[in-house]
Amino acid sequence: MCGIVAYIGSRDATPVLLEGLQRLEYRGYDSAGLAVVASGGLKVRKTTGKVRELEAGIPRRFKGSPGIGHTRWATHGVPSDTNAHPHLDGAGQVAIVHNGIIENATELRAQLESEGVTLVSETDSEVLAHLIARAGRPDLEDSVADALNLVEGTYGLAVIDSRQPDRVVVARNGSPLILGIGDKEMLAASDVTALVRFTRQVVHLEDGEMAVLRADGYRTSTLDHRPITRAPSTVEQGQASYGLDGHAHYLHKEIHEQPEAVARALSGRLDRRFSTAHLGGLGLDARDVAGIRRIKLLGCGSAYFAGRLGASLIEGLARIPADAESASEFRYRNPVVEPDALYVAISQSGETADTIAAVRELKRKGARVLGIVNVVGSTVARECDGGIYLHAGPEISVASTKTFTSTGVALALLALYLGRIRDLGPAEGRRIIDALSEFPDQIRRVLDTEADIAGVANRFNQSADMLFIGRVSGYPIAEEGAQKLKEISYIHAEAYAAPELKHGPLALIGPEVPTVAVVPDDALYPKNLSSLAEIRARRGPVIAVTSRSDIPDVEATLLVPRSEPELAPLLLGIPLQLFAYHVANSLGRDIDQPRNLAKSVTVE
Ligand code: F6R
């Protein structure tokens, strides 16, 4: 989703901003732009399309500092050169880039227009540039604060003024903004990914805060001018690589990184002595766990599907009633928050607006909320009472793969930990630990079958529709498989609980509609075979994803190694990722940046 980068220092800002914008590309966007302060005033370039198109249109003499840049994902107003950011005031002296939504933009536009201001774009953001110029205070930060006091909505904001080239002003409310501290230079961005190439020292602004950046330092305050002190933290990116490392797409790279990602999620967390998990970040002792009567997992999209898998792991291993709900629904239905319930927010980015809103609603009602998050220091991570970091490394492709699998593993660890405090015996605990230890290698063995999976993908890539089915813990995997296929290949895919077929979707089955069936080798295996027979009786082609090589009468089998029943569904998800990838690749899709989608959905 929209990205911001800002720079002030002795270098020319343009290449720094362009590099930052390239790092933000993975979030999804439809246009890009930047503005720098030069001796003659502001220089601005913006365009629809990719950052490389922006770069191609920038003349060699386009130099200056400070500067701000933006990648836009359209909400108000179509993607167009005019609607792209930065936006300027009428005199062309103030430039802003904005993430978020200004909810009272219509009223503010009308007010500005009645005062004779001409707005050139259809965006909600443009009003900010005019309001800041209109405030007309000697210091830019005071004008920004005045303008923001008139605004309702969410923002991550960066502002420059050609008359005050010694500063950049940034502010945050509901949309992330992170300062980067360099050597005699300062940066800011909406995502730490845009900063790590230049500095690892960062400061996370909180909602309702702003900062004035100068080349030699920064000052943070609330919008009502109360100074605040925020200690910098160091970004731990380990050996993380942001390049493609020989893969054609980030999605492919990230699917192949899963053995290492899962090994990192497990590292130091398996306690063989007591057959449990070490999860120091939870902040839950045995007495707390004994008092939990219910667990609710919340997330959006793939994070929600992972939560559904987690709920069945927790019920199975810890015998605590658990269910998952999409955070986007939960936040709007005035949920009853039970005092003896534990809530778990799942978010790779930690910046999904709906998930953050659910966490805040829960905290406001006094609930205890844990976070399962990949991005260290993100909003969900900071606002939860404790949690588990995935340590999956940066996930660049819009569609999640390695973070889905790592979340499943983190939830298995949580279920094991809770189970061992409740009724799960040590032998059972050991069984899960052994299964988890083998998991990275089992993923590797699935990845080794990629050529076979690609062959199956090529046979079915002309289908207009596909069904995905699974039962109980296989069902969220079917949902995630359908989600991967539709988002990256644009083939219509629906997931159903296998027993639901005969209550409606069986009407769709025929030779033209393949069904991808998630079939673990567990107690429900015979039931799954019956569902497949129902499909075959209607001449529907079946692609079985399973550890059994003897499933009768199927068009194709995607085979995985045998695993313990608790982990088998998660392993069955890996071939589905490769299946979606190869279908999308054979159709020439924009795999890492599918149309209309954004990596981190920071608006409602
Ligand atoms: C699908 C996908 C999305 C995200 C969802 C939540 O491949 O990636 O469905 O899972 O937008 O994102 P996070 O986990 O960042 O909260």
Side-chain angles (χ1 to χ4, degrees):
M1 200 146 269
C2 303
I4 287 177
V5 58
Y7 174 82
I8 184 162
S10 56
R11 291 195 243 186
D12 172 20
T14 309
V16 178
L17 297 175
L18 285 170
E19 179 157 0
L21 292 180
Q22 272 155 13
R23 290 285 171 90
L24 295 175
E25 284 194 292
Y26 77 97
R27 299 170 66 97
Y29 69 107
D30 45 55
S31 43
L34 51 80
V36 297
V37 177
S39 50
L42 287 181
K43 287 181 190 271
V44 185
R45 277 285 184 286
K46 46 190 196 171
T47 182
T48 42
K50 300 287 181 192
V51 173
R52 61 175 176 276
E53 290 160 53
L54 174 70
E55 187 169 12
I58 290 180
R60 263 201 304 163
R61 285 192 319 262
F62 191 101
K63 289 184 167 37
S65 175
I68 54 178
H70 194 255
T71 48
R72 173 172 188 253
W73 189 83
T75 54
H76 289 54
V78 295
S80 71
D81 292 359
T82 314
N83 287 339
H85 299 213
H87 291 290
L88 306 189
D89 71 313
Q93 289 165 331
V94 172
I96 65 106
V97 288
H98 166 234
N99 290 354
I101 293 178
I102 305 301
E103 282 161 8
N104 59 342
T106 310
E107 298 82 53
L108 292 170
R109 277 182 92 94
Q111 175 64 36
L112 286 164
E113 277 166 352
S114 75
E115 294 169 16
V117 174
T118 306
L119 288 104
V120 294
S121 78
E122 302 160 304
T123 66
D124 55 329
S125 307
E126 187 189 344
V127 295
L128 291 167
H130 297 288
L131 292 173
I132 293 165
R134 187 180 73 160
R137 304 252 246 134
D139 283 317
L140 179 61
E141 51 274 32
D142 294 330
S143 298
V144 172
D146 284 358
L148 291 178
N149 282 327
L150 302 172
V151 158
E152 286 160 25
T154 54
Y155 47 81
L157 176 71
V159 189
I160 51 175
D161 184 327
S162 59
R163 294 157 300 178
Q164 299 182 46
D166 60 342
R167 69 194 77 178
V168 177
V169 178
V170 297
R172 166 187 173 142
N173 188 42
S175 199
L177 216 290
I178 303 148
L179 316 184
I181 306 167
D183 182 15
K184 300 201 182 61
E185 59 185 10
M186 285 290 302
L187 296 105
S190 51
D191 181 329
V192 82
T193 316
L195 300 175
V196 287
R197 158 80 176 70
F198 304 100
T199 177
R200 300 258 153 154
Q201 290 296 105
V202 300
V203 175
H204 290 267
L205 283 192
E206 299 287 350
D207 284 349
E209 293 180 0
M210 61 189 296
V212 184
L213 316 183
R214 296 173 194 269
D216 58 0
Y218 65 97
R219 198 157 39 79
T220 46
S221 66
T222 60
L223 282 186
D224 52 8
H225 306 290
R226 270 184 299 115
I228 41 172
T229 313
R230 292 229 162 274
S233 57
T234 306
V235 184
E236 301 292 350
Q237 291 289 338
Q239 295 306 305
S241 151
Y242 289 89
L244 279 166
D245 298 349
H247 294 267
H249 300 97
Y250 282 103
L251 193 85
H252 193 259
K253 178 186 174 208
E254 286 156 10
I255 290 172
H256 280 266
E257 282 174 341
Q258 291 180 109
E260 292 74 33
V262 166
R264 279 198 300 277
L266 293 173
S267 174
R269 289 174 169 164
L270 296 178
D271 179 345
R272 288 189 176 276
R273 187 159 162 232
F274 293 108
S275 303
T276 184
H278 272 308
L279 293 169
L282 292 184
L284 290 179
D285 61 24
R287 197 182 291 256
D288 297 327
V289 172
I292 298 170
R293 294 279 156 267
R294 205 173 120 71
I295 297 184
K296 176 133 207 129
L297 300 106
L298 295 160
C300 296
S302 297
Y304 162 58
F305 301 142
R308 286 176 21 94
L309 179 69
S312 74
L313 283 166
I314 290 169
E315 281 205 346
L317 292 176
R319 305 305 297 152
I320 301 173
D323 73 326
E325 184 174 342
S326 86
S328 49
E329 288 281 274
F330 179 84
R331 63 176 290 197
Y332 285 117
R333 65 169 180 80
N334 192 19
V336 176
V337 172
E338 295 149 293
D340 48 8
L342 174 69
Y343 294 85
V344 182
I346 302 171
S347 177
Q348 180 289 124
S349 62
E351 300 296 351
T352 298
D354 286 325
T355 311
I356 294 171
V359 170
R360 288 182 180 160
E361 180 68 0
L362 283 165
K363 300 283 300 171
R364 199 183 60 72
K365 291 183 169 173
R368 186 198 286 263
V369 193
L370 301 181
I372 297 191
V373 175
N374 192 37
V375 177
V376 175
S378 57
T379 304
V380 172
R382 282 181 291 126
E383 296 197 8
C384 285
D385 299 301
I388 306 175
Y389 275 125
L390 301 179
H391 301 307
E395 190 173 69
I396 304 292
S397 193
V398 163
S400 58
T401 51
K402 65 175 176 174
T403 57
F404 177 82
T405 307
S406 296
T407 302
V409 165
L411 287 165
L413 287 168
L414 179 63
L416 171 65
Y417 175 75
L418 299 174
R420 288 290 294 124
I421 294 176
R422 310 277 284 231
D423 290 334
L424 192 74
E428 284 291 276
R430 251 189 321 274
R431 184 176 64 78
I432 302 298
I433 289 187
D434 289 344
L436 283 167
S437 312
E438 283 175 31
F439 206 58
D441 195 52
Q442 291 182 322
I443 297 175
R444 230 170 255 124
R445 285 161 58 198
V446 178
L447 299 177
D448 288 345
T449 67
E450 178 166 9
D452 299 338
I453 298 170
V456 177
N458 290 336
R459 276 168 58 202
F460 290 94
N461 63 3
Q462 295 308 312
S463 311
D465 308 279
M466 287 198 206
L467 274 187
F468 283 67
I469 58 167
R471 264 169 210 266
V472 191
S473 50
Y475 179 29
I477 297 302
E479 289 182 299
E480 173 60 6
Q483 161 107 327
K484 283 293 87 79
L485 185 69
K486 71 184 128 192
E487 64 187 336
I488 62 171
S489 76
Y490 315 152
I491 290 176
H492 171 236
E494 292 272 6
Y496 267 92
E500 284 289 308
L501 276 184
K502 53 187 168 302
H503 299 295
L506 212 47
L508 291 174
I509 298 291
E512 304 305 315
V513 181
T515 299
V516 179
V518 176
V519 189
D521 185 10
D522 60 10
L524 296 173
Y525 180 69
K527 299 279 173 211
N528 278 321
L529 286 193
S530 306
S531 301
L532 299 194
E534 285 168 4
I535 296 166
R536 297 301 300 148
R538 276 102 193 151
R539 297 186 29 248
V542 171
I543 304 164
V545 192
T546 182
S547 59
R548 300 274 301 232
S549 53
D550 56 349
I551 298 190
D553 215 11
V554 290
E555 256 58 35
T557 303
L558 308 182
L559 214 52
V560 307
R562 205 174 176 289
S563 176
E564 290 300 318
E566 290 81 358
L567 292 176
L570 199 54
L571 194 60
L572 294 173
I574 310 289
L576 295 184
Q577 299 170 344
L578 284 170
F579 178 73
Y581 173 80
H582 284 287
V583 170
N585 199 31
S586 66
L587 297 173
R589 304 293 193 230
D590 189 353
I591 290 182
D592 287 329
Q593 287 164 35
R595 66 185 181 201
N596 306 339
L597 296 181
K599 181 68 184 161
S600 167
V601 185
T602 50
V603 294
E604 262 182 67

